[in-house]
Amino acid sequence: MNDVQQRAAAKRFADFWKGKGYERGESQKFWISLLADVFGVEHAAEYITFEDQVHLDHTSFIDGYIPATHVLIEQKGLGKDLKKPIKQSDGTLLKPIQQAQRYASVLPYSQRPRWIIVCNFECFHVYDMEHPQNDPTEILLADLPSQYYLLEFLVQKQDLTLQKEMEISIQAGGLVGKLYDAFLKEYIDPTDEHSLKSLNALCVRLVFCLYAEDAGIFGKRLMFHDYMQHSGANKARQALIDLFRVLDTPIDKRDRYMDEELAAFPYVNGGLFSDENIEIPRLNETILDLLLNKASAAFDWSEISPTIFGAVFESTLNPETRRSGGMHYTSIENIHKVIDPLFLDDLKAELEEIKAIKVQRMQEQRLRAFQDKVASLTFLDPAAGSGNFLTESYLCLRRLENEVINLLQHGQVVIGAAIDPIKVSIAQFYGIEINDFAATVAKTALWIAESQMLKRTEDIVHLQLDFLPLKSYVNIIEGNALRLDWNEIVPKEKLSYIMGNPPFVGARMMAQGSKQKQDIQSLFPDLSKNDVQDLDYVTCWYKIAAEYIQGTHIECCFVSTNSICQGSQVPILWNVMLNQYGIRINYAYQTFRWNSESTNQAAVHCVIIGFATFDRNRKILFTNGKQYSVVPNISPYLTNGSDALIIPQKKPICDVPLMNFGNQPRDGGYFVIKEEEYNAILQAEPFLKKYLLEYIGAEEFINNKKRWCLWLKHVSPNDIKNSKILYQKIEAVKKFRLESRAKTTNGYAKVPHLFAQITQPEGVDYLLIPSVSSERRKYIPIGFMPANVIASNAVQIVPEAGLYEFGVLTSNVHMAWMRTVAGRLEMRYRYSAEIVYNTFPWAELTLTQKAKIEKTAQAILDARALYPDCSYAVLYDDISMPPELRKAHQQNDIAVMQAYGMPIKETTESSCVAELMRRYQALTAAENNP
């Protein structure tokens, strides 16, 4: 079904089910009809299962489950409130989503749902279990005709053609790797830079020849194979040298007496074979067998995906990625997360609009204008790598153009003089790449893509079109994109879009004084040294792009490390972007795992940000996959809200107790004691027990683990002298601190018996908050600690906090703020005083409101006390959280929301954050303008 047909099918479905919905009698009909009639699933009754029993009790059944896409369905009757708790058979009160999560928790791991849908026939609530803290996507049955795509994950399976292309491309990469290794052994000096560059160039040329013979570019299949086979191993090296020279020589300039077999090869052009100075070693029997039998005769290169293969090819031969243990590439799906909302979705929608025109003459005019428009678009990837973004974009534009050509042809054969109907060219695509080999691969990938799409056009017009000699200039420039003038590469008046995936190098991963740090400093000259230290490398591309697009209608989109939209980097980068350059965020993907499809499966947590100097009419915020919402504004934190920047504060902006991080030992590990050593110390010198205090960090607090430390703040000098253990440890700490490269650590050698930084309140209990906590928890576990438990520097402490502060900080209101502004360690939350606590806008409460929060806060502590044997990791897991604790938190959330004047039923996390941002702006404005 095309888009128009699917919309119509969704409308028929919505009209039929309007006002219907009996949970027991009609659920199965409803879902089978949705899958079959709207999403075209054949044998829908076999595609979905119903009433699968789960091993909770004999009365628990999953309403619906789709194994192929891991979707669990909790179905309720028409009119049932999907957000209200329902009494279960065991007497507990659970919301439908909590009921579904309980079922999910007992499924085998391989069957755990990726998605949970709660439905009452008139509304679907969709929960993405990779982002369990996000608000559900809500889809009304009445809106299904325009929003059916939000449920495409029900049937979204990998395209079989794409899967085949992926497999072939990876196999091709493996063959190239074997050829590379075999050739490398034949070089006189395999470490020589010229030899290694020559080997890279040789492999690129061989790949082109292997592809060209299978794709018919050379005229006939196995042409390269037969030529090399006739040469034999003794003459193979010279045969390659002769072939490369011929491929780079126009027909009219060749030796008229050369061997016929060699003369039959076409003129390639494009510069691929122009360098005669590359070093080619001898081809032994092993290399020749690998080249002819495995890479040529036994493998069809014509079916590779140039988008995937380009990256696989580059990573196979790139020394850095070879060392990392496997080839990798950016998945087609992830590339489309960038290019679809940037330009492709709008182009597809425009073409569908044109196809719906009934008057043929008018439709043809619009089709020709559309083809001209597509052929006029110009693209730049300033971190091109192997060109996968450019290659996939080219393929997509050519597919659209081929559809236009097909519509204009009306299925007829062209008669008379052949006119090339193709207008889209790889000359529309520009790239900058610092690695010379990657740049060469990018050019080759684009040529292969051009060849493949030419074949598709030939099938439409039933004519043979010339591919060689290569006429299209590939604008891939080798160089450092941060030190080149982009306007000299492609004038900005000519450019339409900037896109790409700049290097993932975090602020703390760059060495002081490195070229990368120098790049940042030179591009952000007005920033302080401390601010520069906090910026990821990718911010350089944002800065240059923002400056480059001034006064234009160019739109940009970059894949980035998620840290540029979290924590301390946000006010640094986005103050420049918003206030200096007037940048507007028009669409964005919130944090998700950017899987590079690496063979060693390394993944980075990323965001995607589309921006320009103007506002789009529709701003789209993707929360996961294809789930998105249209919002009035996208903030630098990638939330629906204002552009307020949260500036780290040394002290709280409200009148609340001070927060510090815990005590920092800088002791070389001598003062921190594990259980085995603890017992050994007590056995050797029992009198040291008074100095061995419990030591607690985030790991110990959350997982109920035990560690101790030697706390010698009030130690007697006699005890040090009389204790062999104390004396040796203090001596070792002093030596460790003196040998440190950090001058501040050297200074602490003057007090070798003490922790380097002490924040522990003397004789005062305190509130503890872990500095790092899992993103899967709705609430960061926090709690009170007695004064004789020493807090490590892996936690934050609030010495003067009471029940009221505990209640607010553990509430969903504060957690929403934390999730928005906190930094992240991968995906885990990084709670800090300066960014989260000190910037949090506390409400002004009445005594009654404060007393209510204290009461609900105490109820949380009481509920925890019912389970003394359970760690916070268990208690705050969404599946295993006990009902008493869940209810206590819900009551506390309500009390805090009421204190802030937030409506209980209508408030979502995004609206909560928007209100907090408003309060933050009001508080900081009042502070700056008293």
Side-chain angles (χ1 to χ4, degrees), residues 356-373:
I357 296 173
K358 303 299 182 186
V359 180
Q360 183 176 327
R361 185 178 170 188
M362 185 182 296
Q363 187 191 64
E364 288 180 355
Q365 287 177 346
R366 289 282 304 277
L367 285 170
R368 290 191 175 92
F370 177 78
Q371 186 181 14
D372 289 339
K373 173 183 174 178

Side-chain angles (χ1 to χ4, degrees), residues 663 672-675 693-709 766 768-772 777 781 785 789-795 870-874:
N663 306 276
V672 179
I673 310 297
K674 293 184 179 179
E675 188 166 5
L693 299 187
E694 188 177 343
Y695 184 66
I696 193 162
E699 176 73 11
E700 292 78 28
F701 177 75
I702 292 173
N703 293 294
N704 204 17
K705 293 183 178 180
K706 291 288 186 183
R707 277 198 303 174
W708 293 264
C709 70
Y766 57 91
L768 179 150
I769 301 180
S771 294
V772 178
R777 299 189 185 102
M785 287 289 113
V789 174
I790 305 303
S792 87
N793 58 321
V795 298
C870 293
S871 69
Y872 287 137
V874 172

Side-chain angles (χ1 to χ4, degrees), residues 47 64-73 107-117 127 129 153-157:
Y47 185 75
Y65 184 77
I66 303 176
T69 48
H70 291 262
V71 179
L72 188 149
I73 298 158
L107 289 174
Y109 188 81
S110 61
Q111 296 175 26
R112 294 281 175 91
R114 168 69 166 79
W115 309 90
I116 291 179
I117 300 180
Y127 295 83
M129 302 317 293
F153 63 85
L154 291 171
V155 296
Q156 206 169 44
K157 291 183 288 186

Side-chain angles (χ1 to χ4, degrees), residues 761-778:
E762 195 80 36
V764 178
D765 295 347
Y766 57 91
L767 186 64
L768 179 150
I769 301 180
S771 294
V772 178
S773 179
S774 170
E775 77 283 358
R776 294 187 174 275
R777 299 189 185 102
K778 184 175 181 179

Side-chain angles (χ1 to χ4, degrees), residues 147-310:
Q147 295 186 345
Y148 69 86
Y149 60 88
L150 294 174
L151 291 175
E152 282 183 341
F153 63 85
L154 291 171
V155 296
Q156 206 169 44
K157 291 183 288 186
Q158 195 163 49
D159 181 76
L160 293 178
T161 303
L162 176 59
Q163 187 174 354
K164 184 179 179 182
E165 286 181 351
M166 287 168 58
E167 291 171 356
I168 291 173
S169 300
I170 292 172
Q171 290 171 19
L175 286 171
V176 173
K178 289 176 181 177
L179 278 170
Y180 181 96
D181 291 337
F183 271 114
L184 185 63
K185 293 175 183 176
E186 296 304 306
Y187 279 93
I188 294 172
D189 182 2
T191 63
D192 178 67
E193 186 177 345
H194 176 67
S195 297
L196 290 172
K197 283 196 172 186
S198 295
L199 178 53
N200 285 340
L202 174 61
C203 288
V204 171
R205 292 181 181 187
L206 291 174
V207 164
F208 185 87
C209 291
L210 291 165
Y211 172 80
E213 69 172 355
D214 285 342
I217 294 172
F218 280 167
K220 64 177 182 178
R221 181 149 163 61
L222 294 181
M223 187 172 177
F224 170 71
H225 170 277
D226 293 346
Y227 167 75
M228 291 300 297
Q229 189 176 51
H230 292 161
S231 70
N234 292 334
K235 298 180 180 179
R237 178 179 179 274
Q238 188 59 49
L240 270 185
I241 294 171
D242 293 343
L243 175 61
F244 293 163
R245 185 180 297 119
V246 165
L247 292 173
D248 194 52
T249 305
I251 302 295
D252 60 348
K253 294 184 178 180
R254 293 180 180 178
D255 178 0
R256 290 185 295 172
Y257 299 100
M258 74 169 58
D259 183 82
E260 288 184 9
E261 189 178 26
L262 192 57
F265 282 94
Y267 170 48
V268 172
N269 199 15
L272 183 59
F273 297 94
S274 60
D275 184 4
E276 292 195 19
N277 293 319
I278 74 164
E279 184 182 353
I280 300 176
R282 294 186 185 88
L283 280 71
N284 57 31
E285 292 289 351
T286 301
I287 292 175
L288 206 59
D289 176 67
L290 185 59
L291 182 63
L292 298 182
N293 297 326
K294 294 184 175 63
S296 179
F299 193 81
D300 186 356
W301 292 76
S302 66
E303 295 184 10
I304 62 173
S305 161
T307 302
I308 298 169
F309 175 68

